Structures are given as structure tokens and as C-alpha cells.
């Protein structure tokens, strides 16, 4: 019986939808016609997303710029996608594939919960993302579907926030205290390492406000050295997407609050 | 032998009789639109009767649990497939029930060599505003009905009609709060359950007709105290199920099951279970 195991992908396939072969066909077609892969300047990518643990759970953020080569495609992208009430996927890479993955996962988790009358376990959710990335590997290698996400959520069984990051082929790594991804990430990875190791307070002990301020400062730093990262544009009232994940679930931080904190604690340092 | 039209009609008639009998022991399902969202009420012994179907759609069912599961899965598959391939806003209760479920149920009912679905289903759909809240019910023969404001499932048509009138009257032109909504729904549920109990015990004692007893044409009348007493007794024995498609919830999924504590807090003392 279709869907009896709560497997949404299985049900989709039964109805003729395919996630992977489309990409393979597309990339194979592109290679044979032009003799090389689709030029990277044509694809929308480049970004900075990050997540770190703070005292109530996990804080996740992402800049809002989408670029294709030297062109800024869009400046108000939301790259921190809510998959359900307790987890998010922060995306770096080709948005077309990443958004599709997020859509599949969102529906998969809902379908599982509603059909099996229980939430998919935290490990089950991670596995679902790994599976998608693995199926997407040919497109990732070709460059047309490269996605390297950060997965963050609150594990209700363990009562703690958790962070995972992936390489483009779907290898899963647990980022114990923090994880970063995207073209701007090398800059802030070093800062996070330094702060976590030698800072006055370990990241996981930071109160919410300090965590939000740190996140905005980090994204500003990434934007300073990476043209593909949007950072903060205070004049245009453009702030990063910031979400906190605690035992209350995923809650976006309102732009008004970001604006206030930015004015008092971020701008004066820039 | 069913090739002859008369035989077929007779067989379908027998089927109705058989199916009506199956629902007499069932627990009614009551749903109504209130300020906070749509509240659904039923009672169960172990197997739940209220389910989440999609972001803004909930299901209440009566009948055989295995049949309900089969139909529930059909609805879930249709809703999620549509929501994924088109958009969540294209998933509507009316399409799910009228185009999706009704033909399946009707066909099963009329194929007299196969077993029919022993199931009645209510779909409640939260609209953008209270005026746009919708309720759909489907009977075991595939006939469906669409209403706004409120809806319910009951064992037989004879019980359904007075209960539905009562529910409508209780709501009137008011916009009930969640607390008021639960109070109304539980009272109507309890009255329905009392009618079920009375009628099936009448039917059981039918072989030895009591003096002056007429064959269930008019519904017995119960006052508030009878209904409250029945509710209190029932809730000591069965689990009161209460869920809400919550207008106030952020995020796309609006359905939530009210916790025992929440129900206890919302239920008036007169309807609290006897412990």
C-alpha cells in the first residue's frame, strides 16, 4: 500500500516525480553539447550561513544575497529554511536545488508525522537530508546542483540543540558547537574557532542577545571579505535572516530587534 | 442473481441496514468554528478519532478503524502530492473529499460482492477568516455535504438532524471563544452519545417490546442535567479527544491536539469527569 511507511519520496516516485534523474539528464546534456559544464557565472550561488549553540539552543543566520558570477541576482533571499517546528536547513550553493530539497524535506517530515502519528526522530531527519544529497551527487559534481547545507534543530528527546553540516556529496558531520558554510565562511570559521577557544565566554553559554549580536558581527565580517555575501545594509533596512531554535521551536528574530541591536552594538564597530 | 435490477436494489437496501447497524455504537464527532480556529471533539477508547490531514485540514471519523485508516491514507497521499507538486493553497477539503474520496466510497458501497467502507468522515478546513471555514462530511454511501460554522457525524440520520439543529442553535449568531466552543461541542457530543446509547439499548430490547414503546420515530428528550451526567460518566471511562486547527499558530501547520491539562482548564466543572 502506497505511503504505508510514511515515505514521502517513495510516494512521489510512485506518482512519476523524480528528483535525481532530472539533474543527471540535465548535466549530461550540458556536457555533451558544449564539451564543458555550465559556466559557474550563470548559476546563482555564493553566500554565508552559520549556526552556533547558545544558552537556550541554537542560533542560525544567513546573509540575504544571491549572486551569479559577478551579478547580484537578489538581495532579499531567505536562506534559513524552516523544515518543521524544530529544525531548519541553512543553505549554501545552488538555490534551485537547495529550495527543492527543502520543499521535499518539509513535505516528507509532515507526511511522516501525519501518517505515522509520531514525529520523525532527529536522526531520521538527518538521514533524509543525507539521502537527498547523495542522490544529488552527479549534479553536485557537475556543478549545476551543488548544495552544502547546515542543518540545525532542537532534539526534543535529548533536550538540546544540535548542529550538523554536510559536504556536497552528502557526508554528514556533527558541528558540535558551531558550523559554517558558503563562500564567506572561511573568514568567520577562524573567528568562531578563536572565540570559542579563547573568548571570555564559550559560545554555548552566550545569552540570546549576545548571540544575535555576535551573529550579525560575523556576517558583517564575512561580507567584508567576500563579495558574494550580503552582510548588513543598514540604510536599506536590510538585515540578515536570524532564527533561534529552542525547546519552544524555531522562532525568527524580528527585523526591528535586529535593527536596534545593530544600531547599538554592530554599526559602531564597522 | 444480482443482474436483475430489483435484486440489486434489495441488496443495496440490505447493505444500508447492515451499515446503519454498525454505527449505532460509535462515538459522534462534533466540529465548530470558533474565534481561535476550528475545534473538533470526539471520544475514544485507544484508537484516536481525530487526525491531521494537511496544514489547515483535520479529519474526524466514525466507523471501523481499518477502513478509516485506508481512507485517511488516501486523503494524506492526495493532499501531500497536490501540496508538493502544486502549492499548499491548492489543497482544499472540497477537492479532497468530492473528487477524491467520494467516488471511491460510493463505488465500494455499490459493489455488492465486495465489502463497503464502514466509515463516515468529517473534514474541517480552516479558512483565511472564520467566514471561510468549511466543513465537509461524507457518508458510507458516498453522499457528501458541505456546511459552514459547524458540522457533525452521528450514528444515524435520525440522530444527526436534531443534533445538528441543536448545535446550530447553540452557536446562533455568536462567535464563540475556544472555551465556549468546547463547552458547546462537548454538550452536543454528550447528547449524541446519550442518544446512541438509548437507541441501541432500545433496539436490543426490541424483541420484548415494552409497553407503550414506539419504534424510535421520535427522539427522546433529555435535559441539560441528563446530558451533563452522561458526559461525566463517559469521560471517566473513555478519553475525550479535543483538537484545534489553530488560527493563531505561526508556521504552516495549524493543527494541534489539545493536551489533557488544556482540556481540563477549558471544560466547565459540570462536564468534568468523575474520578
Amino acid at each position: 500500500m502506497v505511503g504505508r511507511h510514511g515515505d514521502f519520496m517513495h510516494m512521489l516516485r510512485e506518482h512519476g516525480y523524480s528528483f535525481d534523474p532530472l539533474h543527471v539528464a540535465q548535466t549530461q546534456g550540458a556536457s555533451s553539447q558544449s564539451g564543458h559544464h555550465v559556466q559557474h557565472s550563470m548559476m546563482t550561488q555564493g553566500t554565508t550561513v552559520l549556526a552556533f549553540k547558545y544558552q537556550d539552543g541554537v542560533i542560525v543566520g544567513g546573509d540575504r544575497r544571491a549572486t551569479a558570477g559577478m551579478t547580484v541576482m537578489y538581495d532579499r533571499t531567505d536562506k534559513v529554511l524552516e523544515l518543521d517546528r524544530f529544525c531548519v536547513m541553512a543553505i549554501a550553493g545552488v538555490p534551485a536545488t537547495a529550495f527543492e530539497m527543502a520543499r521535499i524535506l518539509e513535505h516528507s517530515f509532515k507526511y511522516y508525522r501525519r501518517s505515522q502519528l509520531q514525529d520523525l526522530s532527529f536522526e531520521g531527519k538527518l538521514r533524509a537530508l543525507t539521502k537527498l544529497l547523495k542522490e544529488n551527487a552527479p549534479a553536485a559534481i557537475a556543478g549545476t546542483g551543488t548544495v552544502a547545507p547546515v542543518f540545525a534543530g532542537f532534539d526534543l528527546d535529548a533536550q538540546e540543540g544540535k548542529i550538523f553540516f554536510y559536504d556536497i556529496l552528502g557526508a554528514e558531520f556533527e558541528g558540535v558547537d558551531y558550523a559554517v558554510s558558503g563562500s564567506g565562511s572561511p573568514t568567520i570559521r577562524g573567528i568562531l574557532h578563536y572565540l570559542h577557544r579563547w573568548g571570555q565566554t564559550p559560545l554555548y553559554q552566550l545569552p540570546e542577545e549576545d548571540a544575535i549580536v555576535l551573529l550579525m558581527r560575523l556576517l558583517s565580517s564575512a561580507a567584508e571579505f567576500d563579495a558574494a555575501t550580503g552582510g548588513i545594509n543598514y540604510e536599506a533596512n536590510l538585515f540578515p535572516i536570524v532564527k533561534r531554535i529552542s525547546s519552544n521551536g524555531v522562532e525568527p528574530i524580528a527585523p526591528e530587534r535586529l535593527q536596534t541591536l545593530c544600531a547599538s552594538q554592530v554599526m559602531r564597530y564597522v | 442473481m444480482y443482474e436483475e435490477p430489483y435484486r440489486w436494489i434489495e441488496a443495496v437496501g440490505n447493505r444500508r441496514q447492515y451499515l446503519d447497524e454498525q454505527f449505532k455504537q460509535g462515538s459522534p464527532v462534533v466540529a465548530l468554528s470558533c474565534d481561535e480556529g476550528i475545534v473538533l471533539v470526539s471520544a475514544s477508547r485507544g484508537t484516536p478519532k481525530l487526525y491531521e490531514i494537511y496544514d489547515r485540514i483535520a479529519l474526524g471519523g466514525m466507523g471501523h478503524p481499518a477502513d478509516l485508516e485506508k481512507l485517511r491514507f488516501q486523503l494524506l497521499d492526495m493532499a501531500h502530492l497536490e501540496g508538493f507538486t502544486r502549492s499548499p493553497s491548492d489543497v482544499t477539503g472540497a477537492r479532497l473529499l468530492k473528487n477524491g474520496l467520494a467516488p471511491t466510497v460510493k463505488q465500494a458501497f455499490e459493489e455488492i460482492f465486495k465489502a463497503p467502507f464502514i466509515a463516515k468522515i468529517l473534514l474541517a478546513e480552516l479558512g483565511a477568516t472564520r467566514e471561510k471555514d468549511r466543513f465537509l462530511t461524507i457518508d458510507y454511501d458516498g453522499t457528501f455535504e458541505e456546511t459552514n460554522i459547524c458540522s457533525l457525524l452521528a450514528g444515524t440520520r435520525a440522530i444527526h438532524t436534531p443534533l445538528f439543529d441543536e448545535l446550530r442553535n447553540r452557536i446562533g449568531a455568536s462567535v464563540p471563544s475556544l472555551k465556549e466552543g468546547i463547552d458547546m461541542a462537548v454538550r452536543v457530543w454528550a447528547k449524541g452519545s446519550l442518544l446512541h446509547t438509548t437507541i441501541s439499548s432500545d433496539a436490543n430490547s426490541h424483541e420484548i417490546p415494552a409497553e407503550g414503546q414506539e419504534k424510535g420515530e421520535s427522539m427522546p428528550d433529555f435535559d441539560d442535567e441528563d446530558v451533563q451526567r452522561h458526559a461525566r460518566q463517559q469521560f471517566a471511562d473513555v478519553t475525550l479527544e479535543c483538537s484545534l486547527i489553530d488560527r493563531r499558530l505561526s508556521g504552516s501547520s495549524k493543527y494541534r491536539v489539545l493536551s489533557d491539562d488544556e482540556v481540563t482548564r477549558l471544560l466547565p466543572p459540570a462536564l468534568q469527569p468523575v474520578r
Side-chain angles (χ1 to χ4, degrees):
Chain A
M1 185 76 192
V2 173
R4 280 287 145 126
H5 305 293
D7 185 344
F8 182 65
M9 269 311 268
H10 179 77
M11 201 260 286
L12 274 185
R13 283 200 193 97
E14 296 255 333
H15 288 83
Y17 174 87
S18 67
F19 173 70
D20 38 327
L22 262 184
H23 289 269
V24 177
Q26 200 182 9
T27 51
Q28 280 168 352
S31 323
S32 60
Q33 274 166 25
S34 56
H36 57 80
H37 301 312
V38 176
Q39 281 182 3
H40 280 233
S41 62
M42 288 162 63
M43 290 184 311
T44 319
Q45 57 183 3
T47 199
T48 303
V49 291
L50 73 153
F52 60 84
K53 287 188 189 170
Y54 76 111
Q55 68 176 23
D56 300 329
V58 181
I59 196 129
V60 195
D63 78 304
R64 307 190 62 181
R65 177 170 291 179
T67 56
M70 302 300 282
T71 309
V72 175
M73 291 286 285
Y74 189 44
D75 240 348
R76 296 189 183 260
T77 322
D78 181 355
K79 299 170 192 169
V80 184
L81 309 171
E82 284 173 44
L83 300 179
D84 66 12
R85 284 178 199 162
F86 289 95
C87 63
V88 302
M89 173 171 134
I91 53 165
V94 176
T97 312
F99 285 136
E100 184 76 346
M101 280 182 185
R103 246 162 48 79
I104 292 174
L105 291 175
E106 192 187 342
H107 262 82
S108 298
F109 299 169
K110 280 180 184 174
Y111 183 73
Y112 184 90
R113 186 184 74 227
R114 289 166 184 161
S115 63
Q116 308 302 303
L117 305 176
Q118 64 179 49
D119 274 305
L120 185 59
S121 67
F122 198 82
E123 288 72 24
K125 291 176 188 173
L126 288 170
R127 186 84 203 104
L129 176 54
T130 310
K131 245 163 80 181
L132 278 184
L133 286 166
K134 220 172 149 192
E135 284 175 18
N136 185 53
I141 293 163
T144 52
T146 319
V147 179
V150 170
F151 183 97
F154 196 85
D155 186 341
L156 286 168
D157 294 333
Q159 278 297 307
E160 59 169 329
K162 288 183 176 172
I163 304 169
F164 291 80
F165 61 102
Y166 296 82
D167 71 2
I168 60 168
L169 299 181
E172 176 189 300
F173 306 99
E174 181 167 8
V176 180
D177 292 305
Y178 59 85
V180 291
S181 189
S183 55
S185 63
T187 306
I188 58 172
R189 194 174 182 198
I191 304 177
L192 276 165
H193 173 77
Y194 183 92
L195 284 178
H196 192 54
R197 188 134 187 215
W198 296 291
Q200 282 179 340
T201 318
L203 295 175
Y204 59 81
Q205 283 178 5
L206 286 180
E208 185 179 297
E209 189 168 306
D210 292 1
I212 297 171
V213 170
L214 173 62
L215 191 138
M216 286 198 286
R217 287 179 182 174
L218 287 168
L219 279 174
S220 278
S221 308
E224 190 74 15
F225 299 106
D226 176 39
T229 296
I232 296 168
N233 188 341
Y234 193 82
E235 288 73 29
N237 206 14
L238 182 61
F239 299 97
I241 297 284
V242 185
K243 288 175 186 173
R244 64 158 181 251
I245 315 170
S246 62
S247 53
N248 294 329
V250 181
E251 293 160 297
I253 309 292
E256 295 74 31
R257 187 165 175 214
L258 295 179
Q259 187 180 27
T260 314
L261 290 174
C262 190
S264 60
Q265 296 182 65
V266 181
M267 293 304 284
R268 64 192 169 98
Y269 290 98
V270 173
Chain B
M1 62 181 190
Y2 291 112
E3 287 82 13
E4 298 166 48
Y6 171 74
R7 297 276 190 194
W8 188 79
I9 289 167
E10 192 185 46
V12 168
N14 289 343
R15 227 163 218 241
R16 274 188 198 285
Q17 222 174 356
Y18 161 73
L19 282 162
D20 278 336
E21 203 57 43
Q22 301 300 308
F23 290 101
K24 283 192 175 158
Q25 299 287 332
S27 157
V29 177
V30 183
L32 63 91
S33 179
C34 62
D35 196 27
E36 287 87 339
I38 294 177
V39 60
L40 293 101
V41 164
S42 187
S44 64
R45 282 190 176 85
T47 316
K49 307 277 184 212
L50 306 177
Y51 299 94
E52 178 182 21
I53 293 296
Y54 203 65
D55 292 354
R56 310 174 76 91
I57 301 174
L59 175 152
M62 274 185 88
H64 196 289
D67 284 340
L68 279 175
E69 278 295 274
K70 210 167 176 180
L71 296 173
R72 183 173 77 90
F73 265 88
Q74 194 182 332
L75 286 168
L76 281 171
D77 285 5
M78 280 191 293
H80 287 80
L81 197 63
E82 179 76 2
F84 179 79
T85 48
R86 291 210 174 94
S87 135
S89 46
D90 291 309
V91 181
T92 61
R95 291 181 62 219
L96 288 179
L97 195 116
K98 293 177 186 173
N99 311 353
L101 218 53
T104 316
V105 174
K106 182 174 186 293
Q107 194 177 3
F109 175 70
E110 287 178 349
E111 279 182 359
I112 45 183
F113 292 112
K114 288 184 189 163
F117 288 110
I118 307 174
K120 294 183 186 208
I121 282 177
L122 182 154
L123 287 186
E125 181 180 22
L126 188 77
T129 57
R130 183 172 178 263
E131 291 69 41
K132 291 189 174 150
D133 290 349
R134 286 288 174 273
F135 301 87
L136 295 118
T137 54
I138 184 164
D139 215 333
Y140 56 72
D141 60 359
T143 49
F144 48 79
E145 236 170 62
E146 187 172 348
T147 52
N148 52 9
I149 301 180
C150 63
S151 181
L152 62 89
L153 295 177
T156 62
R157 175 101 343 233
I159 297 177
H160 182 276
T161 312
L163 273 190
F164 187 67
D165 290 345
E166 177 169 347
L167 187 58
R168 274 243 138 121
N169 289 338
R170 278 185 185 272
I171 301 168
S174 70
V175 179
S177 65
L178 177 58
K179 197 176 167 65
E180 291 162 343
I182 287 189
D183 182 68
M184 291 173 191
V186 170
R187 280 172 198 279
V188 171
W189 175 86
K191 189 163 182 183
S193 162
L194 190 52
L195 285 171
H196 280 195
T197 317
T198 316
I199 286 171
S200 52
S201 62
D202 281 357
N204 291 339
S205 61
H206 189 61
E207 287 162 21
I208 319 156
E211 204 176 325
Q213 189 185 8
E214 284 191 316
K215 206 182 157 188
E217 253 71 41
S218 65
M219 283 293 131
D221 202 21
F222 300 108
D223 61 19
D224 273 1
E225 189 42 50
D226 295 331
V227 173
Q228 286 173 11
R229 198 181 314 115
H230 180 75
R232 289 195 298 266
Q233 285 165 355
Q234 284 291 305
F235 298 151
D237 195 24
V238 296
T239 312
L240 171 64
E241 269 189 79
C242 242
S243 52
L244 177 69
I245 319 178
D246 197 334
R247 240 183 274 284
R248 304 161 301 176
L249 273 188
S250 65
S252 54
S253 297
K254 303 291 185 192
Y255 181 88
R256 67 187 183 91
V257 176
L258 298 185
S259 66
D260 291 347
D261 287 351
E262 221 171 347
V263 174
T264 311
R265 202 154 22 84
L266 289 163
L267 216 55
L271 296 171
Q272 298 279 353
V274 189
R275 300 269 180 217

